[in-house]
Amino acid sequence: MSPRWNRREVLKGLVAASTAMLVPQRDGVASAQLGAPQVEIQVTALGQYTCRLSILAVNNGSVGDIPGDGSLVQQSWGSPIAKLREEPAHAIAAGNLRLKISFRPVSIEVSNLGGEVLQQLAWDENAGVFSFLNGSLPLFGLGEGGPQFDRRGSTDAMRSGQGGYQLATHGGRVPVPWVIGTSGWAMFFHQPKGAFDFTGQRGKFQSASPGAALDLFFIGAADPPTIMAEYARLTGFAEMPPLWSFGYQQSHRTLASREDVLAEAKTFREKRLPCDALIYLGTGFCPSGWNTENGSFAWNSRVFPDPKEMLDELHRQHFRAVMHAVILTDRLRGTVHDPCELPRFDEESASCYWDTHRKDFALGVDGWWPDEGDPLDIPSRLVRNRMYWEGPQIDRPNERPYALHRNGYAGMQRYGSFLWSGDVYSTWETLKTHIPVALNTALSGIPYWGTDIGGFVPTAEFTAELYLRWFQFGAFCPLFRCHGRAWKLRLPWGWNTGDPGPVEINNYNGAAIPDSSQLHDVRVEPICRKYLELRYRLLPYLYSAVHECATTGLPIMRALWLHFPDDPKAVACGDQYLWGRNVLVAPVIEKGATSRRVYLPRGAWYDFWTHERVEGGREISRPVDLETLPLYVREGSILPLGPVKQFSGEIVDEPLSVSIYPGADASFLLYEDDGASFNYRQGEWMGIQMAWDDGRRMLSLRLAPGSRVLPPEARAIVVKVAGTTRSVTFEGKPVQVSFQP
């Protein structure tokens, strides 16, 4: 343990730093030269909790630049508070962090204000190895995919794409060099690219380019939400996608005809199965998709003979149409606002490439599904993410875009990018693995994530039971979307028709069509309807969590660590999660399960289905049947539920329901805007700040500062507490609802 720091010690260290070593007195070269220094360490303070550590090679007295890759909100974070090149050891104060830096070899000890050592860092510039303490508590982050859940004990080559790590079960890899130490620190390795080894007592980052500058951001904070907010400050807060993108999305593969396309949309409405978006795969990935060939933007006339008229019909039925797109180049640069000389079309130019989309976009396409792109380097991936956010705004400047990506990187959240986990297999192991995959993806700053519900490649394990358990999990992922081969079994009613759809399994090892006995299961459709309706009822809660994510950096799917960092069992729990702040989700991940072990952190919890109050701080066994996904709401929660809708924008003349789970004081900001435009940036949003006083049994409602009342001006709200119901009208003025006996 290092000695405690006091003001005098810090000042003494800063004086030493400013006189003995620091920087350049003449022509950018240090004056005292007893031996040519090999590196310069620059320390930049970014507030109370974060500092930037840049270890740069010195050649002939000159320091190299730090290359950018598009991941950071800004390349410069102000002038360094110190530039160090030689001994003696230096003491640096950077906000709440205290650094002791020495050379030959480079070592950096980071402590907090109380003198507690947070990390001991070391850099071997010759080998290009940066090491740090793994510690005795879990390590999270590193993006989507890779070994799960706690990263300790693993090695990771940080290889991007579907060939990154065990695709069948773990999905595609979107590596993000962001490591969270649950003991109270985190690091983002901005440069260079490299691999991680967490198998020893000390973790190692092996640079892919020995001799290159090492540039990292260190965050020290005991509060997990602070760590997430600081990371968002570096790589960007998530943009808010349109509300409809959080409804159900139905994906397709081989399309038979115009009539089949429109009949399926009609079936959703006739069966009253809520749905917002229909997604169409491209030809080349299947025999007959929406376009003529792989990467084409020309319509397939066999199934879309009149695309404008068909899109208009889908819109009349309140569906959004999303089209699959494949990039045919391995590089992409620039922005959509750059000039594009069409006679000399440059496929690597974002502006030229976006122009190929615009004719179809003008017909009424609502969103895009940018597939493939595994060979793209980091800057190109982010250029692509940005292109699908800024490109649509050229023609629809006040409409929030939607794009579902297979690739990305740190910072993709700034472009409202959704991400899915790629071509996974339909197995129970895949479903089980995807819960921790979801959590590490969310902890890496990528909040809008989901899977191919049911798994992309059908196997002998693909049964109605597996589909339903995956569907239940999907209902509590930000992206709620079904997709995969044997695609008609991805339809909520598909398991009772006897028709799995076109057979597309010949090029996948282990692929299989479900046994015909599985294809007449009457239980599937009503259970799907139950979770579709629940998802739409939860949209007010979910959309409020999206707003919280966009303003605080807290994800929607939350590892228990985020709210229970002092509970070791909660921190290590990777098979369940919090949905927003208050709802605990425990997906059923075992075949034939009749019960589910659920860990409830300290405090009391309410079973969402039965309303039974259960004491936490322990693991329980929750009985389950095929239609039950264990859900718990913690005491001191306010849960808003809207009416059942068939699509997110449907106007339903029913009141908002607000359920209070008593036992502690509670607060909740119910957020609402038009769900489509950017007008909320100009104050066109409404927040109802709700506060529950448990001792007084009183709920208070008031208009959140900075917001305004949106139509309808009078909001009917039904408040429920332990079987008692009160009705109230909110018109923007403070209201109190008493539940005193």
Side-chain angles (χ1 to χ4, degrees), residues 123-432:
W123 172 241
D124 182 339
E125 63 266 28
N126 294 319
V129 174
F130 181 86
S131 64
F132 49 91
L133 293 174
N134 275 341
S136 59
L137 297 177
L139 301 178
F140 298 145
L142 290 192
E144 178 193 58
Q148 298 295 324
F149 166 54
D150 180 356
R151 302 291 192 175
R152 289 178 304 163
S154 70
T155 60
D156 199 318
M158 301 294 279
R159 185 180 299 114
S160 179
Q162 300 222 127
Y165 180 86
Q166 297 185 18
L167 172 64
T169 51
H170 290 65
R173 188 77 175 94
V174 176
V176 177
W178 161 247
V179 183
I180 298 172
T182 55
S183 58
W185 58 269
M187 290 186 288
F188 177 59
F189 291 77
H190 173 229
Q191 291 291 349
K193 289 179 62 176
F196 287 93
D197 182 344
F198 301 107
T199 58
Q201 290 186 343
R202 292 188 66 82
K204 295 179 181 179
F205 172 79
Q206 173 66 65
S207 169
S209 307
L214 177 73
D215 187 46
L216 68 89
F217 294 81
F218 185 94
I219 299 170
D223 178 48
T226 298
I227 289 177
M228 298 305 298
E230 290 294 289
Y231 180 67
R233 189 159 68 96
L234 298 175
T235 63
F237 289 88
E239 280 282 3
M240 291 191 64
L243 176 62
W244 65 260
S245 64
F246 296 102
Y248 177 66
Q249 302 183 36
Q250 179 64 61
S251 198
H252 307 70
R253 289 188 63 81
T254 296
L255 302 172
S257 66
R258 180 188 196 276
E259 291 70 29
D260 280 1
V261 171
L262 296 179
E264 186 196 306
K266 185 178 180 182
T267 302
F268 269 99
R269 297 299 180 234
E270 288 178 342
K271 287 179 171 288
R272 296 194 63 77
L273 292 163
C275 181
D276 262 275
L278 302 175
I279 308 177
Y280 299 103
L281 187 66
T283 303
F285 283 72
C286 62
S288 180
W290 78 270
N291 57 8
T292 56
E293 60 184 338
N294 202 26
S296 170
F297 290 90
W299 294 83
N300 176 1
S301 61
R302 295 194 305 276
V303 292
F304 281 92
D306 47 358
K308 176 69 166 65
E309 191 172 311
M310 292 181 69
L311 291 172
D312 288 347
E313 176 58 29
L314 293 177
H315 291 158
R316 282 191 288 271
Q317 296 185 53
H318 304 286
F319 289 103
R320 309 284 178 159
V322 179
M323 302 300 172
H324 178 263
V326 175
I327 191 167
L328 300 179
T329 179
D330 293 344
R331 293 289 183 272
L332 200 61
R333 66 179 186 277
T335 75
V336 297
H337 303 293
D338 296 334
C340 175
E341 299 180 22
L342 293 180
R344 294 185 296 180
F345 179 81
D346 182 354
E347 65 179 2
E348 294 187 4
S349 164
S351 61
C352 290
Y353 183 44
W354 177 251
D355 277 346
T356 63
H357 297 66
R358 292 179 70 184
K359 184 181 293 185
D360 296 329
F361 194 56
L363 295 177
V365 171
D366 297 286
W368 300 94
W369 174 15
D371 197 357
E372 295 216 323
D374 286 0
L376 294 170
D377 60 16
I378 290 170
S380 297
R381 281 179 241 156
L382 290 172
V383 166
R384 194 183 189 203
N385 292 142
R386 182 178 180 181
M387 183 191 77
Y388 279 101
W389 180 253
E390 295 182 349
Q393 295 181 60
I394 294 175
D395 298 304
R396 304 179 196 170
N398 199 27
E399 181 179 303
R400 294 180 229 168
Y402 171 75
L404 172 58
H405 291 268
R406 195 169 88 180
N407 296 100
Y409 191 66
M412 65 185 293
Q413 69 275 7
R414 299 199 304 270
Y415 310 119
S417 298
F418 278 72
L419 178 71
W420 98 100
S421 64
D423 297 350
V424 299
Y425 277 53
S426 302
T427 69
W428 287 96
E429 183 64 25
T430 305
L431 174 59
K432 177 181 178 180

Side-chain angles (χ1 to χ4, degrees), residues 578-595:
L578 291 169
W579 180 243
R581 186 176 297 270
N582 298 323
V583 180
L584 187 146
V585 183
V588 178
I589 51 180
E590 294 182 357
K591 180 180 179 180
T594 57
S595 64

Side-chain angles (χ1 to χ4, degrees), residues 52 66-70 72-77 190-191 215 217:
R52 184 179 197 173
I66 302 169
D69 56 18
L72 298 176
V73 171
Q74 58 198 53
Q75 184 64 16
S76 174
W77 297 86
H190 173 229
Q191 291 291 349
D215 187 46
F217 294 81

